[in-house]
Amino acid sequence: MRQALEEDLGRAGDVTTQCVVSQEIDLEARIVTRAEGCLAGLGVARLAFHLLGQDLTFTPKVCDGTRVKAGETVALVQGNARSILTAERVALNFLGHLSGIATATLALVESIVGTQARICCTRKTTPNLRLLEKYAVVCGGGVNHRFGLDDGLLVKDNHIAAAGGITQSLSRIRQHAGHMLKLEVEVDTLNQLSKVLDLGVDAVLLDNMTPATLVKAVRLVDGRAITEASGGITLNSARIVAETGVNYISTGWITHSAPSLNVALDVYT
């Protein structure tokens, strides 16, 4: 957060506010939504204001994870006018970005209601914002995949190619990995899936499979491993994928391509 504020302040600070607004003026402002969505990031917005004005009062009117309507007041900010106006853009950038992720996640979650599947994020996140973006996914009703490469064993196609095959990959994992790490393997075909199941894994990543193939894959797994469908899944296709019986649907677009929720700061006059 400090780096984000420093980026915005530049070398000379908020020269516009310094010229226009007296240091002695206090004001009240409200953060409002300009569109319907799911809120996430109020605590981050609060931090942005407090770092520039420790005496500012930030009062949330709703909680993260709340579904909000257009025109709704989600927080009040009171205190020194210069501090509020200078922190405004950074606070709103974080709040809008995280709320956009929560909103996109919620749309996916609602699209698969009635199935056993759960919406899951990936590591396709903004550098240095992964923790916040994954938090926003949870606010929208989704669940988190790995937070980093050390979180679990996920053998993907490039690992398999580099190691010389699935058998070689899993053999090396058995030699080097501790017993506390879960093992998931990415497969593209039913033949690969059958081989992986015979070798023994905790989860299988069913990558870019058609719904018809996913149905066969779930039957083949038959409860022996957790099933995760991935690859180009959108709001339009999520329901179809969920109805194949998979346990998880992972998608990167909810973190890397979700549009920001339009939020604004309105000053009381």
Side-chain angles (χ1 to χ4, degrees), residues 104-113 115-120 211 214 229 231-246 248-251 253-254:
T105 303
L106 179 61
L108 276 176
V109 169
E110 291 183 334
S111 76
I112 64 169
V113 168
T115 71
Q116 71 167 1
R118 303 188 72 183
I119 299 299
C120 184
L214 284 173
I233 297 168
T234 66
L235 185 58
N236 292 329
S237 63
R239 180 81 194 185
I240 298 172
V241 173
E243 288 177 344
T244 66
V246 295
Y248 292 93
I249 297 174
S250 60
T251 175
W253 73 262
I254 54 175

Side-chain angles (χ1 to χ4, degrees), residues 79-99:
N80 182 263
R82 282 191 176 185
S83 297
I84 291 174
L85 297 177
T86 300
E88 171 187 354
R89 177 43 49 202
V90 171
L92 295 182
N93 281 350
F94 275 106
L95 183 61
H97 175 58
L98 297 179
S99 296

Side-chain angles (χ1 to χ4, degrees), residues 138-177:
V138 174
C139 288
V143 295
N144 294 151
H145 207 283
R146 295 187 298 173
F147 276 80
L149 294 170
D150 61 339
D151 243 2
L153 297 157
L154 176 51
V155 180
K156 304 192 76 174
D157 53 357
N158 285 338
H159 294 111
I160 293 170
I166 293 176
T167 301
Q168 293 90 328
S169 298
L170 298 195
S171 175
R172 291 173 183 171
I173 283 175
R174 308 293 186 205
Q175 293 174 19
H176 300 290

Side-chain angles (χ1 to χ4, degrees), residues 205-245:
L205 176 58
L206 309 172
D207 190 45
N208 285 303
M209 291 185 176
T210 65
T213 304
L214 284 173
V215 170
K216 295 177 181 177
V218 171
R219 290 175 181 168
L220 182 60
V221 173
D222 193 26
R224 288 181 286 171
I226 294 170
T227 53
E228 174 189 344
S230 183
I233 297 168
T234 66
L235 185 58
N236 292 329
S237 63
R239 180 81 194 185
I240 298 172
V241 173
E243 288 177 344
T244 66

Side-chain angles (χ1 to χ4, degrees), residues 182-185 193 197 201-206 221 223-229 246-248:
K182 294 284 188 178
L183 170 60
E184 182 174 16
V185 178
L193 175 60
L197 291 172
V201 295
D202 299 298
V204 287
L205 176 58
L206 309 172
V221 173
R224 288 181 286 171
I226 294 170
T227 53
E228 174 189 344
V246 295
N247 301 117
Y248 292 93

Side-chain angles (χ1 to χ4, degrees), residues 3 51 55 76 100 107 119 122 130 137 153 173 233 238 247 252 258 266:
Q3 289 180 329
L51 284 176
D55 294 332
L76 299 178
I119 299 299
T122 70
R130 180 172 295 168
V137 168
L153 297 157
I173 283 175
I233 297 168
N247 301 117
D266 290 343

